[in-house]
Amino acid sequence: MSTTTETVSGLGTVRTNEWVAGAASGFVGSVLFGLMMQYVMPAPMLETVIPAMYGIDGPALAVGWALHQFHGVILGLVYVALVQFEPLRSPARTLGGSVALGVGYGVLTTLGLAVLVMPLWLSVVGFPAAPPFPNVAIPGTLVSLLGHIVYAVPVAVAYALVVEN
């Protein structure tokens, strides 16, 4: 007979301040990544490609920024949801662990979204300059990876700073 008690956690245990931290830091991280997209990445990512995902003909820089910020908030909330489960729960609550998870989340979002989802999505909506599937263009994908990490680390650190241990 075992006397071990298993702790189950889930989304029902997430406090409001944790969701707010995910959303707010997702917004801030998206500003940082968006600046990279606007000034470092090959044009016309923000003004044409992001709006095209929603069927909007560009250039439409303000629309691209708004959609990019929306994506950032949603992905910040997704991060909060993901770190509720083991083995992510404990490291997400420490500064060092959160930085490592932020880097990992940046890699995951690059692979999942920039490499796989974005080229398919742009092809489906008929964007003529859709990248090939999978999108592994060098140096573009490496710059995207750096941008996703610049986005994700503040999200992870903000969560660690507000979560109650």
PDB file of all heavy atoms in Angstrom, residues 118-134:
ATOM      1  N   MET A 118       2.426  28.823 -40.911  1.00  0.00           N
ATOM      2  CA  MET A 118       2.370  30.021 -41.759  1.00  0.00           C
ATOM      3  C   MET A 118       2.438  29.711 -43.254  1.00  0.00           C
ATOM      4  O   MET A 118       1.618  30.234 -44.020  1.00  0.00           O
ATOM      5  CB  MET A 118       3.435  31.033 -41.364  1.00  0.00           C
ATOM      6  CG  MET A 118       3.226  32.376 -42.057  1.00  0.00           C
ATOM      7  SD  MET A 118       4.409  33.625 -41.595  1.00  0.00           S
ATOM      8  CE  MET A 118       5.838  33.061 -42.483  1.00  0.00           C
ATOM      9  N   PRO A 119       3.362  28.861 -43.717  1.00  0.00           N
ATOM     10  CA  PRO A 119       3.367  28.605 -45.166  1.00  0.00           C
ATOM     11  C   PRO A 119       2.098  27.911 -45.657  1.00  0.00           C
ATOM     12  O   PRO A 119       1.602  28.223 -46.741  1.00  0.00           O
ATOM     13  CB  PRO A 119       4.607  27.734 -45.389  1.00  0.00           C
ATOM     14  CG  PRO A 119       5.068  27.305 -44.067  1.00  0.00           C
ATOM     15  CD  PRO A 119       4.485  28.217 -43.040  1.00  0.00           C
ATOM     16  N   LEU A 120       1.543  27.020 -44.855  1.00  0.00           N
ATOM     17  CA  LEU A 120       0.286  26.372 -45.241  1.00  0.00           C
ATOM     18  C   LEU A 120      -0.862  27.378 -45.268  1.00  0.00           C
ATOM     19  O   LEU A 120      -1.656  27.407 -46.211  1.00  0.00           O
ATOM     20  CB  LEU A 120      -0.038  25.235 -44.270  1.00  0.00           C
ATOM     21  CG  LEU A 120       0.841  23.998 -44.360  1.00  0.00           C
ATOM     22  CD1 LEU A 120       0.479  23.010 -43.265  1.00  0.00           C
ATOM     23  CD2 LEU A 120       0.724  23.352 -45.727  1.00  0.00           C
ATOM     24  N   TRP A 121      -0.955  28.184 -44.228  1.00  0.00           N
ATOM     25  CA  TRP A 121      -2.023  29.182 -44.118  1.00  0.00           C
ATOM     26  C   TRP A 121      -1.974  30.149 -45.294  1.00  0.00           C
ATOM     27  O   TRP A 121      -2.983  30.430 -45.935  1.00  0.00           O
ATOM     28  CB  TRP A 121      -1.870  29.915 -42.794  1.00  0.00           C
ATOM     29  CG  TRP A 121      -2.994  30.823 -42.379  1.00  0.00           C
ATOM     30  CD1 TRP A 121      -3.975  31.365 -43.163  1.00  0.00           C
ATOM     31  CD2 TRP A 121      -3.224  31.312 -41.072  1.00  0.00           C
ATOM     32  NE1 TRP A 121      -4.801  32.165 -42.414  1.00  0.00           N
ATOM     33  CE2 TRP A 121      -4.359  32.148 -41.121  1.00  0.00           C
ATOM     34  CE3 TRP A 121      -2.574  31.153 -39.847  1.00  0.00           C
ATOM     35  CZ2 TRP A 121      -4.864  32.806 -39.997  1.00  0.00           C
ATOM     36  CZ3 TRP A 121      -3.083  31.802 -38.738  1.00  0.00           C
ATOM     37  CH2 TRP A 121      -4.213  32.616 -38.813  1.00  0.00           C
ATOM     38  N   LEU A 122      -0.773  30.662 -45.599  1.00  0.00           N
ATOM     39  CA  LEU A 122      -0.645  31.606 -46.713  1.00  0.00           C
ATOM     40  C   LEU A 122      -0.983  30.950 -48.042  1.00  0.00           C
ATOM     41  O   LEU A 122      -1.566  31.581 -48.926  1.00  0.00           O
ATOM     42  CB  LEU A 122       0.756  32.211 -46.733  1.00  0.00           C
ATOM     43  CG  LEU A 122       1.053  33.203 -45.603  1.00  0.00           C
ATOM     44  CD1 LEU A 122       2.535  33.515 -45.531  1.00  0.00           C
ATOM     45  CD2 LEU A 122       0.228  34.469 -45.763  1.00  0.00           C
ATOM     46  N   SER A 123      -0.641  29.685 -48.208  1.00  0.00           N
ATOM     47  CA  SER A 123      -0.999  28.962 -49.437  1.00  0.00           C
ATOM     48  C   SER A 123      -2.504  28.794 -49.555  1.00  0.00           C
ATOM     49  O   SER A 123      -3.077  28.984 -50.629  1.00  0.00           O
ATOM     50  CB  SER A 123      -0.327  27.591 -49.465  1.00  0.00           C
ATOM     51  OG  SER A 123       1.060  27.736 -49.587  1.00  0.00           O
ATOM     52  N   VAL A 124      -3.151  28.465 -48.444  1.00  0.00           N
ATOM     53  CA  VAL A 124      -4.602  28.260 -48.447  1.00  0.00           C
ATOM     54  C   VAL A 124      -5.344  29.543 -48.816  1.00  0.00           C
ATOM     55  O   VAL A 124      -6.325  29.503 -49.556  1.00  0.00           O
ATOM     56  CB  VAL A 124      -5.084  27.716 -47.074  1.00  0.00           C
ATOM     57  CG1 VAL A 124      -6.590  27.810 -46.928  1.00  0.00           C
ATOM     58  CG2 VAL A 124      -4.614  26.282 -46.885  1.00  0.00           C
ATOM     59  N   VAL A 125      -4.865  30.693 -48.317  1.00  0.00           N
ATOM     60  CA  VAL A 125      -5.552  31.955 -48.636  1.00  0.00           C
ATOM     61  C   VAL A 125      -5.116  32.519 -49.987  1.00  0.00           C
ATOM     62  O   VAL A 125      -5.590  33.571 -50.397  1.00  0.00           O
ATOM     63  CB  VAL A 125      -5.374  33.024 -47.525  1.00  0.00           C
ATOM     64  CG1 VAL A 125      -5.982  32.556 -46.220  1.00  0.00           C
ATOM     65  CG2 VAL A 125      -3.925  33.434 -47.360  1.00  0.00           C
ATOM     66  N   GLY A 126      -4.222  31.816 -50.688  1.00  0.00           N
ATOM     67  CA  GLY A 126      -3.828  32.221 -52.035  1.00  0.00           C
ATOM     68  C   GLY A 126      -2.805  33.335 -52.101  1.00  0.00           C
ATOM     69  O   GLY A 126      -2.703  34.023 -53.123  1.00  0.00           O
ATOM     70  N   PHE A 127      -2.019  33.515 -51.050  1.00  0.00           N
ATOM     71  CA  PHE A 127      -0.987  34.549 -51.061  1.00  0.00           C
ATOM     72  C   PHE A 127       0.093  34.148 -52.064  1.00  0.00           C
ATOM     73  O   PHE A 127       0.694  33.082 -51.938  1.00  0.00           O
ATOM     74  CB  PHE A 127      -0.399  34.717 -49.655  1.00  0.00           C
ATOM     75  CG  PHE A 127       0.606  35.827 -49.545  1.00  0.00           C
ATOM     76  CD1 PHE A 127       0.248  37.147 -49.774  1.00  0.00           C
ATOM     77  CD2 PHE A 127       1.922  35.554 -49.189  1.00  0.00           C
ATOM     78  CE1 PHE A 127       1.169  38.169 -49.645  1.00  0.00           C
ATOM     79  CE2 PHE A 127       2.851  36.565 -49.056  1.00  0.00           C
ATOM     80  CZ  PHE A 127       2.474  37.881 -49.287  1.00  0.00           C
ATOM     81  N   PRO A 128       0.340  34.972 -53.080  1.00  0.00           N
ATOM     82  CA  PRO A 128       1.246  34.565 -54.155  1.00  0.00           C
ATOM     83  C   PRO A 128       2.701  34.386 -53.723  1.00  0.00           C
ATOM     84  O   PRO A 128       3.440  33.636 -54.362  1.00  0.00           O
ATOM     85  CB  PRO A 128       1.125  35.689 -55.185  1.00  0.00           C
ATOM     86  CG  PRO A 128       0.570  36.852 -54.448  1.00  0.00           C
ATOM     87  CD  PRO A 128      -0.238  36.297 -53.307  1.00  0.00           C
ATOM     88  N   ALA A 129       3.113  35.032 -52.656  1.00  0.00           N
ATOM     89  CA  ALA A 129       4.506  34.920 -52.209  1.00  0.00           C
ATOM     90  C   ALA A 129       4.641  34.018 -50.990  1.00  0.00           C
ATOM     91  O   ALA A 129       5.553  34.178 -50.187  1.00  0.00           O
ATOM     92  CB  ALA A 129       5.065  36.300 -51.909  1.00  0.00           C
ATOM     93  N   ALA A 130       3.720  33.040 -50.852  1.00  0.00           N
ATOM     94  CA  ALA A 130       3.784  32.121 -49.713  1.00  0.00           C
ATOM     95  C   ALA A 130       5.111  31.371 -49.726  1.00  0.00           C
ATOM     96  O   ALA A 130       5.563  30.913 -50.773  1.00  0.00           O
ATOM     97  CB  ALA A 130       2.628  31.133 -49.767  1.00  0.00           C
ATOM     98  N   PRO A 131       5.743  31.255 -48.559  1.00  0.00           N
ATOM     99  CA  PRO A 131       7.000  30.501 -48.511  1.00  0.00           C
ATOM    100  C   PRO A 131       6.732  29.023 -48.748  1.00  0.00           C
ATOM    101  O   PRO A 131       5.605  28.552 -48.568  1.00  0.00           O
ATOM    102  CB  PRO A 131       7.514  30.752 -47.095  1.00  0.00           C
ATOM    103  CG  PRO A 131       6.324  31.134 -46.302  1.00  0.00           C
ATOM    104  CD  PRO A 131       5.359  31.778 -47.259  1.00  0.00           C
ATOM    105  N   PRO A 132       7.757  28.282 -49.154  1.00  0.00           N
ATOM    106  CA  PRO A 132       7.565  26.854 -49.353  1.00  0.00           C
ATOM    107  C   PRO A 132       7.303  26.147 -48.028  1.00  0.00           C
ATOM    108  O   PRO A 132       7.644  26.663 -46.964  1.00  0.00           O
ATOM    109  CB  PRO A 132       8.893  26.400 -49.968  1.00  0.00           C
ATOM    110  CG  PRO A 132       9.883  27.409 -49.509  1.00  0.00           C
ATOM    111  CD  PRO A 132       9.126  28.710 -49.394  1.00  0.00           C
ATOM    112  N   PHE A 133       6.691  24.987 -48.120  1.00  0.00           N
ATOM    113  CA  PHE A 133       6.452  24.170 -46.928  1.00  0.00           C
ATOM    114  C   PHE A 133       7.462  23.044 -46.903  1.00  0.00           C
ATOM    115  O   PHE A 133       7.625  22.362 -47.888  1.00  0.00           O
ATOM    116  CB  PHE A 133       5.036  23.589 -46.957  1.00  0.00           C
ATOM    117  CG  PHE A 133       4.765  22.708 -45.762  1.00  0.00           C
ATOM    118  CD1 PHE A 133       4.353  23.279 -44.575  1.00  0.00           C
ATOM    119  CD2 PHE A 133       4.933  21.335 -45.832  1.00  0.00           C
ATOM    120  CE1 PHE A 133       4.107  22.479 -43.466  1.00  0.00           C
ATOM    121  CE2 PHE A 133       4.693  20.539 -44.732  1.00  0.00           C
ATOM    122  CZ  PHE A 133       4.273  21.117 -43.553  1.00  0.00           C
ATOM    123  N   PRO A 134       8.145  22.846 -45.794  1.00  0.00           N
ATOM    124  CA  PRO A 134       8.240  23.683 -44.608  1.00  0.00           C
ATOM    125  C   PRO A 134       9.113  24.898 -44.878  1.00  0.00           C
ATOM    126  O   PRO A 134       9.987  24.875 -45.733  1.00  0.00           O
ATOM    127  CB  PRO A 134       8.895  22.764 -43.576  1.00  0.00           C
ATOM    128  CG  PRO A 134       9.711  21.807 -44.386  1.00  0.00           C
ATOM    129  CD  PRO A 134       8.962  21.631 -45.692  1.00  0.00           C
TER     130      PRO A 134
END
